[in-house]
Amino acid sequence: MIDWNRVEELRSEVGEDAFDEVLDLFLEEVDEVMTRLRDAPDPACLPSDLHFVRGSALNLGLKEFCAICRGLEHRLAQGEAVELSALLDSYAESRGLLMTAGKARSRVA
């Protein structure tokens, strides 16, 4: 689900404090879009919303979430209807894993 090597790579690239800031910013920005996708998805904004969350998630190694986004983007480009439940579920699970790992790491440090 998550490429933990990518998470650790990013953490070592930016440092522990900056990583926490990157993670907080990611969650803040992506949570906003995911809430909109869950509560009131705008078909006109859907391609750009999916592209944004996929790019953001890719930086943090959310492999499954990115794959779902890519599939949805492809279907939209083909003019097909899309169902967002798998994307929303994957994000919720990935977010929980990131938060749990971050808290566990804070206790160890």
Side-chain angles (χ1 to χ4, degrees):
M1 172 162 275
I2 296 177
D3 180 354
W4 292 107
N5 289 329
R6 174 62 193 136
V7 173
E8 289 306 316
E9 181 180 291
L10 180 61
R11 187 187 310 271
S12 73
E13 287 173 4
V14 300
E16 191 68 37
D17 291 338
F19 178 80
D20 290 343
E21 291 175 27
V22 167
L23 182 57
D24 289 344
L25 182 61
F26 165 81
L27 293 173
E28 180 182 317
E29 291 178 349
V30 175
D31 281 355
E32 180 181 321
V33 175
M34 296 305 291
T35 297
R36 183 171 62 243
L37 291 176
R38 183 189 68 233
D39 296 343
D42 179 351
C45 295
L46 193 53
S48 62
D49 284 345
L50 290 172
H51 183 76
F52 169 75
V53 295
R54 181 174 54 88
S56 297
L58 189 61
N59 289 327
L60 275 172
L62 278 64
K63 295 186 315 183
E64 178 182 295
F65 179 81
C66 290
I68 294 169
C69 278
R70 192 171 24 261
L72 292 172
E73 286 178 291
H74 178 74
R75 285 192 282 284
L76 282 173
Q78 300 300 314
E80 298 175 21
V82 296
E83 167 57 46
L84 299 176
S85 61
L87 181 72
L88 296 167
D89 291 346
S90 179
Y91 179 68
E93 188 174 352
S94 297
R95 186 186 197 288
L97 289 170
L98 283 172
M99 295 301 294
T100 300
K103 288 177 185 172
R105 187 164 182 84
S106 298
R107 287 193 297 266
V108 172

